Amino acid sequence: MNPAIFRRGLTVATALLTLAVGLGGPPAAAADGPGSAPYLPRPTGPSAVGTTSLHLTDDSRPDPWASGVNARELMVSLWYPTASPNGRRAQYMTPTESELLLEEGGITSVPLDVLSTTRTNAFADARPAGHTRSLPLVVLSPGFTKPRTTLTTLAEDLASHGYVVAAIDHTYESVATTFPDGRVATCTACEVPHDEAFWNRLVTSRAADVSFVLDELTESHTEWDGSRLIDRSRIAMAGHSVGGASAVTSMLADPRVRAGIDIDGTTQVPIPDSGLSRPFLFLGREAQYSPGSGDGAVATWERDWQRLTGWKRWLVVAGAEHASFTDIGLLAEQLGIDIGAELPAARASEIVRRYSRTFLDLHLRNRPQPLLDKPSMRYPQVHFCTPETSTCV
């Protein structure tokens, strides 16, 4: 596994912020943004969105990265429909998290809290809305070194369409995870040699994190009042980069995860010869994941494609870069800076949100989705691939 694949998003963030300084700072935001502050696009669904965070501790296993720590602590953000869209908008990340993320990229010439000023659309601690056991649950896992907040745009959009979304900060794998008592865990895993054993350990640990979070959200002793809304029979997982690779591992480890999406992530642990029969979507860059284009990342998808025995699709997006699939790409677009992606980041974000939700609506709500049957004139950048013939149309 090439660690550069998973670090690229941070490199892009570094580059765009450096360029912003060179250009005299970012230009004024669009009409729906507050002045020059960064902002996330509005969700497309009919429901207002609430959000809250949970601090969870798994006493059954030691932390895989912190020596001598006998329990696994996690921070999890939840997004969900709300009928009470009052109060303050949720903070995107803390000033300390922003500072550590920028320092990781060597950025000292911009306000270190700039990312903490990003405008979100969800209302902090708003009351969840919905009937008991009526809402599907989607777990999100970010890329290596990335905070869970980098998937906020996708999370808010899914919640606006009636999903509960849980994004996990995998402690000591992110540049910064802040706990309620003020402690900040940094990236201990970054200091471990990134050989094959490391990546295997990482995705296996993430699968354990996902199963634990599912336990906490679906069992009777749950800490979150909104858990009563979750339909325990309709659970899916999506992730970006190594978070996407972890969707495979989580599905192999936990049958509760009914469907999975790998967004631009090289798969590490192979699907066994016995196969995986639950629905799965590969969604990645055309330049990286077109079948028949060589060894490396695409070869892992080709290997696993043969062992996916249920519903499956392989889609590639023309002109996208690794960061195009996350909030980081959206920041670049707002700043008007070229980060190497031919496809505008706002368009890439629309594609990620639309195709992810369409997949989830099909497999968690049994709603027919013609968009997933063939290429669409509305989204000409999205190509449907047939690995058996190494073609994409």
Side-chain angles (χ1 to χ4, degrees):
M1 180 71 66
N2 182 356
I5 294 174
F6 301 121
R7 291 182 177 275
R8 187 163 187 178
L10 181 58
T11 302
V12 168
T14 297
L16 69 89
L17 287 169
T18 302
L19 284 171
V21 175
L23 294 173
D32 59 351
S36 60
Y39 65 97
L40 302 181
R42 292 189 180 102
T44 61
S47 298
V49 178
T51 187
T52 193
S53 293
L54 299 180
H55 175 210
L56 305 176
T57 302
D58 184 357
D59 294 317
S60 70
R61 59 190 172 113
D63 191 277
W65 308 112
S67 178
V69 177
N70 296 321
R72 178 70 164 159
E73 287 185 88
L74 298 172
M75 290 302 300
V76 178
S77 288
L78 299 170
W79 292 265
Y80 46 84
T82 181
S84 305
N86 301 312
R88 62 182 177 86
R89 300 290 180 97
Q91 188 176 40
Y92 185 67
M93 64 174 59
T94 69
T96 299
E97 289 165 345
S98 175
E99 178 180 347
L100 291 175
L101 186 60
L102 293 176
E103 287 182 347
E104 170 75 6
I107 300 297
T108 59
S109 53
V110 297
L112 292 178
D113 67 346
V114 64
L115 299 179
S116 71
T117 69
T118 300
R119 182 178 184 268
T120 70
N121 300 283
F123 294 89
D125 300 318
R127 184 185 307 113
H131 299 294
T132 300
R133 304 285 181 260
S134 65
L135 304 183
L137 170 65
V138 181
V139 178
L140 298 182
S141 181
F144 184 57
T145 76
K146 303 303 179 293
R148 64 193 188 276
T149 53
T150 57
L151 298 176
T152 298
T153 298
L154 175 59
E156 289 184 339
D157 194 66
L158 289 173
S160 76
H161 287 275
Y163 287 88
V164 175
V165 183
I168 303 172
D169 239 2
H170 302 280
T171 313
Y172 301 114
E173 299 173 25
S174 170
V175 293
T177 300
T178 303
F179 292 103
D181 61 5
R183 289 176 297 129
V184 179
T186 54
C187 189
T188 303
C190 292
E191 302 169 6
V192 178
H194 293 171
D195 54 15
E196 183 176 354
F198 166 81
W199 294 111
N200 288 341
R201 177 182 173 190
L202 186 143
V203 296
T204 301
S205 170
R206 288 198 174 199
D209 287 347
V210 170
S211 290
F212 169 67
V213 170
L214 292 182
D215 290 343
E216 292 296 301
L217 290 177
T218 61
E219 294 183 356
S220 58
H221 65 277
T222 178
E223 295 184 18
W224 182 50
D225 179 64
S227 291
R228 61 181 174 78
L229 304 177
I230 296 173
D231 182 344
R232 302 171 186 176
S233 68
R234 294 189 290 164
I235 297 173
M237 179 177 172
H240 175 251
S241 198
V242 74
S246 300
V248 173
T249 317
S250 295
M251 292 178 73
L252 292 171
D254 197 323
R256 290 175 295 182
V257 184
R258 284 184 46 184
I261 307 174
D262 179 352
I263 303 173
D264 212 55
T266 305
T267 55
Q268 180 62 21
V269 176
I271 295 173
D273 292 339
S274 57
L276 179 62
S277 62
R278 279 162 279 162
F280 202 83
L281 172 65
F282 283 125
L283 178 65
R285 290 166 284 166
E286 180 182 54
Q288 184 77 27
Y289 290 105
S290 293
S293 59
D295 297 328
V298 68
T300 68
W301 283 22
E302 290 173 327
R303 175 202 65 209
D304 287 337
W305 178 262
Q306 300 175 34
R307 299 169 183 175
L308 290 168
T309 60
W311 188 103
K312 58 185 177 180
R313 292 291 185 273
W314 180 322
L315 308 181
V316 293
V317 183
E321 288 291 337
H322 193 52
S324 300
F325 299 94
T326 72
D327 296 349
I328 293 173
L330 287 166
L331 294 175
E333 183 180 74
Q334 289 176 33
L335 294 171
I337 297 169
D338 181 4
I339 61 170
E342 297 178 6
L343 181 66
R347 180 63 164 172
S349 176
E350 180 186 356
I351 287 170
V352 171
R353 288 185 290 170
R354 180 64 188 279
Y355 278 86
S356 296
R357 177 168 53 84
T358 299
F359 172 85
L360 296 166
D361 280 351
L362 174 62
H363 296 293
L364 297 186
R365 288 174 161 157
N366 295 316
R367 297 175 180 172
Q369 301 294 333
L371 184 66
L372 294 174
D373 292 336
K374 60 183 180 180
S376 167
M377 293 181 63
R378 182 174 180 180
Y379 299 104
Q381 302 89 356
V382 180
H383 302 303
F384 284 58
C385 295
T386 304
E388 293 81 0
T389 58
S390 298
T391 56
C392 298
V393 296

